[in-house]
C-alpha cells in the first residue's frame, strides 16, 4: 500500500488536544507521524491547504438494513455512504431481519463489512433475543464475534428488570447498553411531537414524557448497577437536564444527539413532510436549545446520525402510514458545521471531539485519534466550502432526508480508512 | 382544473382568509333555494366529472356531497374503500392517478389519515375537496356550522363552545379556525384526556366543567363521543360521561340565556346529548344538515371556477 502524506492542512485531533498546521503521514495502515514539514518520496501527496485534517468520524448509531431490507440499504452501500460523509467507523444497530441477536448474525455483518470497503462497520448486538424484551441475548458470544455494544434500538429495552439485568451482565464484557428511550404506552400511535403543531395538524403526538420516563428509569438503574448506559438520540430538554444531573453524581451514562434533533423543530412537519417523521420526533425550539447547550457543556457526549434509510414508496404515503427515520450519514458533517459551528454552539475542535474521540471512547473502538500507531482512519474536509444537498446524488440507496436543497458548509475532500482512500470529493455513486 | 380565487383545493379552513370564508357562505345563500324547488337541479356543473372517494364510512357527508353535485348537474362516481382496489393494496397516490387518467375534474375525499387531502392535492391536477382527513379538518362541516350560526345571529362576537372529544375531532379544528377568523369567541369543554395539548394557544378558552361552558356560551356545538374512546381509556364509561359532560335539559334550564344547540352527527343520544335537547326548540341540528348541501354546492361551484357574483343568475330557472 502506497504511503499517503497529507500536507498543509489544519490538523485537529481532539484526543490529543492538537489543533495546529501540520502534515500527517500514513504508512502501512497506521498513522506514522503528525508534524510540520514531513516528507516521504514515495508517498501520494494530498494537498490539504485550507482543509481540516481530523481522525475519521465515528458514528455510534446507524441502520444498514442488511440482512432483511437490502432494497433500501446494504452494508456495502451504507459503508460507502458513510465514507462519503467523512465517517470511517460506524456501529450498525441490530434491528435487522433476522435480528442480530446471535454470534452467526454478528459474524455475517463482520464478513459483509470486510468485503464492503468504505467505512469500518462494527455490529451492535441485541439486548434480548429477537428484540422481544424477554430473554437476554448471549452477550459473551456477541462480543466474541465482534459486537461492540448491545441495544434493542428501534424500541426501548422493554422492562426495568431486563434493563437492570443487561446493565449488570454487560459489566463482564465491558460494553455499553444503548437504550432507545421511549415509553411505548405513552407513544403508541403517535406520529410526531405532541405540541401545538400536532394539535394543528391533527396528528397523534408523542409527548416528551415518553422519553423522559425511560431516561429516568435508565439513570436509576445505571446508578444501581454501576453499569454503563448510553442513551441514544436524546431529544428532550428534560432528558438533557437529568443526564447532566446524573453525570454530576458519577452515574456511568453517556449520550448522543442527532444532527436533525440539533437542527430542526416540529415545524418541519407542518406540511406533513414525511421526511421529517422520525422517532424520537423533532421537538420544539426549547429542546433544540437544551440539546445544543448539552453538547457544548459535555452532557451530550457525541453526535450520532441514527441513519435510517427508507424506500421512496414507504415515505410517499400519508404521514400516519409512513415509517420513522432519516438518512443521515451524508449530511451530518455539513449540518453540524453549518448549524453548530456557524451557529456559535461550539468550535470545530469541540465539534470534532463529539464526532471522533468521544464516540470511540463510548464503544471502546480503536478509532477517533491521530496518535502515531493508530489505524490510519482520516478525514480531510474543507470547512468553508459550500454545497447543496441533492438526495439523488447520495451514495446511500435511500433519499429520505429533511435537508434536501439545503445549502451547507463543509465538503469532504478525502476519507481514508486503514491507509487507503475510500472516498474522494467528486466521486459519484456507481451506475 | 383551474379553481377560482379559492385556489385549486379546499383542504381546510386554517389557511383560508376571513374574506374567502365569507365568500363561500355568501355564495351558499342563493343555492339554498334550489333544494326547496320541486325540480332540484341547475346546469351549473354540467359536463364536470366528480369522484367521491370515501376511505372511511360516511352517510351524511357522502350523501350531502352527492346531492350537491347532482343538483348542480355534475356527473358523479362514488368509490368506497371496501370493494375498491384499495383493499387490494393500492396506494392512495396510485388510486388517485388512475382516477385522474379517466379525466376527472374534482375529487371529494374522506380519509382516515390527517393530511391525506393535502397529500392528494399536491399530487394530482384535479381539485381536491377535503371531506374529512383524520383528526385534521372537515372544512365543509365547519362552513355549514358557520352558515347555520349566521342564520340566527351575527358570527362576530358570538360565544361558541365546542363540547366533547376535541382531541380526535376534525370538526372541532375546522370550527375553531372558521369561528376565530370571523370574529367569534371560541371555547372548548371536555375532559382533559380529550382536549389536545396547547389548544389554548390557538386562542380558545378551555372549560373543564360543562356547567361553566353553558353559563358562558351562546352556542354549544356538541361533538359525538366515539365508543372507541372508552376502550382506549380516555373516558371510563358512557354513563359517567353523560353524568359529567352530557348536555342535558336540566343543565340548559339553568343557563342565563337560550342557547343554540348544534351537533355534527351522528348523535349518541344519552351519551353526549339528552334527547330532550336534541329534539328541543333550540336545536338546529337538522338545519345544519340542510345547510350542508348548500355550502357544498357553493364550494363545488367556486372551485370549478364559478364567479361568485354570478351565483344568483347561475342557478337560473329550474330545469324543465
Amino acid at each position: 500500500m502506497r504511503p499517503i502524506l497529507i500536507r498543509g492542512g489544519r490538523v485537529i485531533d481532539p484526543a490529543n488536544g492538537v489543533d495546529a498546521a501540520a502534515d500527517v503521514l500514513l504508512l502501512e495502515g497506521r498513522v506514522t507521524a503528525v508534524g510540520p514539514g514531513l516528507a516521504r518520496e514515495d508517498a501520494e501527496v494530498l494537498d490539504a491547504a485550507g482543509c481540516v485534517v481530523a481522525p475519521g468520524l465515528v458514528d455510534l448509531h446507524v441502520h444498514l438494513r442488511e440482512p432483511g431490507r437490502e432494497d433500501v440499504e446494504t452494508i456495502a452501500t451504507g459503508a460507502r455512504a458513510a465514507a462519503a460523509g467523512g465517517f470511517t467507523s460506524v456501529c450498525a444497530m441490530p434491528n435487522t431481519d433476522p435480528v442480530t441477536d446471535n454470534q452467526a448474525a454478528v459474524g455475517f455483518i463482520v464478513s459483509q463489512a470486510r468485503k464492503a470497503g468504505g467505512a469500518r462497520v462494527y455490529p451492535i448486538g441485541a439486548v434480548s433475543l429477537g428484540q422481544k424484551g424477554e430473554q437476554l441475548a448471549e452477550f459473551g458470544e456477541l462480543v466474541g464475534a465482534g459486537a461492540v455494544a448491545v441495544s434493542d434500538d428501534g424500541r426501548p429495552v422493554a422492562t426495568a428488570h431486563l434493563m437492570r439485568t443487561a446493565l449488570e451482565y454487560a459489566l463482564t464484557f465491558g460494553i455499553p447498553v444503548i437504550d432507545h428511550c421511549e415509553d411505548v404506552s405513552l407513544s403508541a400511535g403517535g406520529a410526531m411531537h405532541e405540541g401545538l403543531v400536532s394539535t394543528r395538524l391533527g396528528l397523534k403526538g408523542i409527548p416528551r414524557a415518553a422519553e423522559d420516563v425511560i431516561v429516568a428509569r435508565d439513570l436509576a438503574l445505571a446508578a444501581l448497577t454501576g453499569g454503563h448506559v448510553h442513551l441514544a438520540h436524546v431529544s428532550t430538554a428534560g432528558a438533557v437536564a437529568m443526564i447532566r444531573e446524573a453525570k454530576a453524581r458519577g452515574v456511568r451514562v453517556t449520550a448522543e444527539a442527532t444532527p436533525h434533533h440539533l437542527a430542526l423543530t416540529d415545524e418541519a412537519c407542518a406540511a406533513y413532510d414525511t421526511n421529517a417523521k422520525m422517532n424520537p420526533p423533532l421537538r420544539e425550539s426549547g429542546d433544540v436549545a437544551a440539546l445544543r447547550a448539552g453538547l457544548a457543556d459535555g452532557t451530550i457526549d457525541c453526535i450520532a446520525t441514527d441513519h435510517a434509510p427508507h424506500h421512496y414508496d414507504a415515505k410517499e404515503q400519508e404521514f400516519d402510514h409512513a415509517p420513522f427515520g432519516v438518512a443521515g450519514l451524508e449530511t451530518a458533517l455539513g449540518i453540524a458545521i453549518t448549524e453548530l459551528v456557524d451557529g456559535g454552539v461550539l468550535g470545530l475542535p469541540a465539534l470534532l471531539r463529539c464526532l471522533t474521540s468521544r464516540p470511540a471512547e463510548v464503544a471502546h473502538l480503536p478509532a477517533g485519534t491521530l496518535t502515531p500507531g493508530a489505524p490510519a482512519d482520516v478525514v480531510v474536509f474543507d470547512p468553508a466550502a459550500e454545497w447543496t444537498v441533492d438526495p439523488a446524488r447520495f451514495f446511500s440507496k435511500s433519499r429520505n432526508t429533511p435537508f434536501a436543497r439545503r445549502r451547507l458548509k463543509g465538503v469532504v475532500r478525502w476519507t481514508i480508512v486503514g491507509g487507503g482512500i475510500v472516498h474522494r470529493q467528486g466521486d459519484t455513486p456507481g451506475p | 382544473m383551474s379553481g377560482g380565487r379559492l385556489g385549486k383545493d379546499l383542504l381546510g379552513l386554517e389557511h383560508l382568509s376571513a374574506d374567502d370564508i365569507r365568500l363561500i357562505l355568501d355564495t351558499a345563500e342563493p343555492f339554498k333555494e334550489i333544494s326547496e324547488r320541486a325540480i332540484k337541479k341547475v346546469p351549473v356543473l354540467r359536463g364536470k366529472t366528480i369522484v367521491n372517494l370515501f376511505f372511511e364510512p360516511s352517510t351524511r357527508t357522502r350523501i350531502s356531497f352527492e346531492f350537491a353535485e347532482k343538483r348542480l348537474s355534475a356527473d358523479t362516481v362514488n368509490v368506497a374503500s371496501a370493494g375498491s382496489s384499495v383493499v387490494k393494496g393500492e396506494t392512495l397516490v396510485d388510486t388517485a392517478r388512475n382516477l385522474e387518467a379517466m379525466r376527472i375534474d374534482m375529487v371529494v375525499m374522506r380519509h382516515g389519515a390527517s393530511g391525506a387531502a393535502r397529500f392528494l392535492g399536491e399530487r394530482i391536477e384535479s381539485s381536491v375537496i377535503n371531506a374529512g382527513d383524520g383528526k385534521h379538518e372537515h372544512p365543509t362541516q365547519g362552513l355549514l356550522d358557520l352558515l347555520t350560526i349566521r342564520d340566527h345571529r351575527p358570527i362576530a362576537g358570538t360565544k361558541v363552545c365546542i363540547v366533547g372529544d376535541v382531541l380526535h375531532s376534525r370538526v372541532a379544528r375546522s370550527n375553531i379556525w372558521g369561528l376565530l377568523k370571523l370574529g367569534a369567541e371560541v371555547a372548548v369543554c371536555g375532559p382533559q384526556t380529550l382536549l389536545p395539548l396547547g389548544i389554548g394557544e390557538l386562542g380558545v378558552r378551555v372549560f373543564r366543567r360543562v356547567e361553566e361552558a353553558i353559563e358562558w356560551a351562546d352556542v354549544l356545538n356538541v361533538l359525538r363521543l366515539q365508543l372507541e374512546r372508552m376502550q382506549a381509556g380516555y373516558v371510563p364509561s358512557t354513563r359517567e360521561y353523560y353524568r359529567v359532560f352530557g348536555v342535558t335539559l336540566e343543565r340548559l334550564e339553568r343557563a342565563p340565556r337560550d342557547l343554540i344547540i348544534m351537533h355534527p352527527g351522528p348523535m349518541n343520544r344519552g351519551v353526549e346529548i339528552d334527547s330532550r335537547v336534541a329534539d328541543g326548540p333550540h336545536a338546529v341540528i337538522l338545519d345544519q344538515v340542510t345547510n350542508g348541501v348548500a355550502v357544498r354546492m357553493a364550494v363545488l361551484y367556486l372551485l370549478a371556477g364559478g364567479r361568485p357574483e354570478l351565483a344568483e343568475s347561475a342557478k337560473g330557472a329550474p330545469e324543465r
Side-chain angles (χ1 to χ4, degrees), chain B residues 4-79:
Chain B
R5 63 174 263 197
L6 293 181
K8 181 174 87 75
D9 306 320
L10 178 69
L11 305 179
L13 300 190
E14 180 180 359
H15 299 292
L16 287 189
S17 67
D19 281 346
D20 288 339
I21 293 171
R22 277 187 215 105
L23 173 74
I24 297 170
L25 300 182
D26 292 346
T27 306
E29 293 292 349
F31 285 127
K32 281 182 183 174
E33 182 261 338
I34 295 171
S35 298
E36 306 303 327
R37 297 177 182 175
I39 297 173
K40 303 173 177 58
K41 206 170 183 78
V42 294
V44 169
L45 293 187
R46 188 145 64 188
K48 300 286 186 194
T49 314
I50 302 175
V51 175
N52 299 314
L53 191 55
F54 278 69
F55 291 98
E56 277 187 343
S58 162
T59 305
R60 189 180 334 262
T61 303
R62 184 176 56 76
I63 292 174
S64 178
F65 265 110
E66 203 176 338
F67 275 136
E69 293 154 2
K70 291 203 152 93
R71 287 173 190 175
L72 294 176
S73 305
D75 295 315
T76 67
V77 176
N78 295 322
V79 183

Side-chain angles (χ1 to χ4, degrees), chain A residues 312-401:
Chain A
Y312 174 82
D313 291 341
K315 285 289 194 178
E316 180 70 356
Q317 290 197 78
E318 302 87 327
F319 199 92
D320 273 334
H321 303 165
F324 294 103
V326 181
L329 282 167
E330 293 170 74
T331 51
L333 181 63
I335 292 294
I337 292 173
T338 309
E339 291 281 339
L340 303 177
V341 178
D342 286 6
V345 177
L346 71 187
L348 253 185
L351 172 70
L352 287 171
R353 196 174 128 78
C354 299
L355 282 162
T356 60
S357 57
R358 279 307 288 146
E361 285 159 17
V362 167
H364 311 292
L365 305 180
T369 172
L370 296 178
T371 306
D377 296 356
V378 184
V379 62
V380 181
F381 63 91
D382 183 339
E386 295 192 7
W387 61 292
T388 303
V389 179
D390 176 5
R393 300 183 62 186
F394 280 176
F395 285 85
S396 169
K397 279 192 175 186
S398 293
R399 310 270 178 267
N400 50 305
T401 173

Side-chain angles (χ1 to χ4, degrees), chain A residues 298-315:
Chain A
T299 301
I300 304 290
D301 297 86
C302 12
I303 295 174
T305 63
D306 193 8
H307 178 73
H310 285 293
H311 198 279
Y312 174 82
D313 291 341
K315 285 289 194 178

Side-chain angles (χ1 to χ4, degrees), chain A residues 229-254:
Chain A
V229 64
H230 177 76
L231 303 177
H233 43 53
V234 172
S235 76
T236 69
V240 174
M242 284 188 277
I243 295 164
R244 184 178 288 121
E245 186 272 337
K247 281 189 166 184
R249 280 190 286 128
V251 175
R252 288 184 67 204
V253 55
T254 52

Side-chain angles (χ1 to χ4, degrees), chain B residues 98-129:
Chain B
N98 277 281
L99 291 171
E100 186 151 74
M102 298 177 209
R103 302 291 177 260
I104 58 169
D105 298 292
M106 292 192 201
V107 178
V108 174
M109 184 171 75
R110 160 72 57 92
H111 195 289
S114 299
R118 176 178 178 143
F119 178 89
L120 187 69
E122 288 170 350
R123 283 160 182 80
I124 64 174
E125 300 290 319
S126 317
S127 284
V128 173
I129 298 174

Side-chain angles (χ1 to χ4, degrees), chain A residues 189 194-196 198-204 270-272 274 312-313 315-321, chain B residues 14 92-93 111-116 118-119 123 133 135-136 173 177 196-199 201-202 234:
Chain A
E194 182 173 353
L196 193 53
S198 68
T199 292
R200 270 171 42 213
L201 296 179
L203 291 170
K204 178 149 192 212
Y272 296 99
T274 57
Y312 174 82
D313 291 341
K315 285 289 194 178
E316 180 70 356
Q317 290 197 78
E318 302 87 327
F319 199 92
D320 273 334
H321 303 165
Chain B
E14 180 180 359
L92 175 56
V93 179
H111 195 289
S114 299
R118 176 178 178 143
F119 178 89
R123 283 160 182 80
D133 63 327
K135 302 176 297 237
H136 176 226
R173 283 170 180 73
W177 295 121
L197 206 70
I199 186 80
E201 292 173 59
L202 298 183
Y234 290 99

Side-chain angles (χ1 to χ4, degrees), chain B residues 70-251:
Chain B
K70 291 203 152 93
R71 287 173 190 175
L72 294 176
S73 305
D75 295 315
T76 67
V77 176
N78 295 322
V79 183
S81 55
S84 77
S85 51
V86 175
V87 294
K88 300 175 192 165
E90 188 171 66
T91 66
L92 175 56
V93 179
D94 285 337
T95 301
R97 288 194 180 133
N98 277 281
L99 291 171
E100 186 151 74
M102 298 177 209
R103 302 291 177 260
I104 58 169
D105 298 292
M106 292 192 201
V107 178
V108 174
M109 184 171 75
R110 160 72 57 92
H111 195 289
S114 299
R118 176 178 178 143
F119 178 89
L120 187 69
E122 288 170 350
R123 283 160 182 80
I124 64 174
E125 300 290 319
S126 317
S127 284
V128 173
I129 298 174
N130 182 6
D133 63 327
K135 302 176 297 237
H136 176 226
E137 284 225 41
H138 190 353
T140 56
Q141 179 73 43
L143 290 164
L144 73 87
D145 289 344
L146 291 171
L147 188 63
T148 306
I149 295 171
R150 205 176 74 165
D151 286 345
H152 291 86
R153 51 186 297 150
I155 291 170
T158 292
K159 294 175 175 172
V160 182
C161 186
I162 302 165
V163 182
D165 182 3
V166 176
L167 180 63
H168 299 96
S169 176
R170 50 195 171 216
V171 174
R173 283 170 180 73
S174 288
N175 263 276
I176 288 168
W177 295 121
L179 288 163
L180 288 175
K181 282 168 198 280
L182 295 193
E185 289 185 55
V186 185
V188 297
C189 175
Q192 191 63 43
T193 51
L194 294 176
L195 298 181
L197 206 70
I199 186 80
E201 292 173 59
L202 298 183
V204 306
R205 303 172 68 121
V206 177
F207 290 110
R208 297 202 189 281
R209 301 205 65 95
V210 72
E211 294 83 358
E212 294 165 13
I214 288 170
E215 190 179 330
W216 172 84
D218 302 310
V219 178
L220 289 188
N221 198 341
V222 186
L223 300 175
R224 170 182 171 76
L225 184 74
Q226 293 186 348
L227 300 178
E228 301 95 272
R229 306 300 170 229
M230 261 63 69
Q231 288 147 17
Y234 290 99
V235 175
S237 67
T238 53
R239 197 175 68 128
E240 170 143 312
Y241 186 85
Y242 185 67
R243 190 170 291 168
V244 182
F245 291 99
V247 176
T248 60
L249 193 59
E250 289 74 17
R251 287 189 168 121

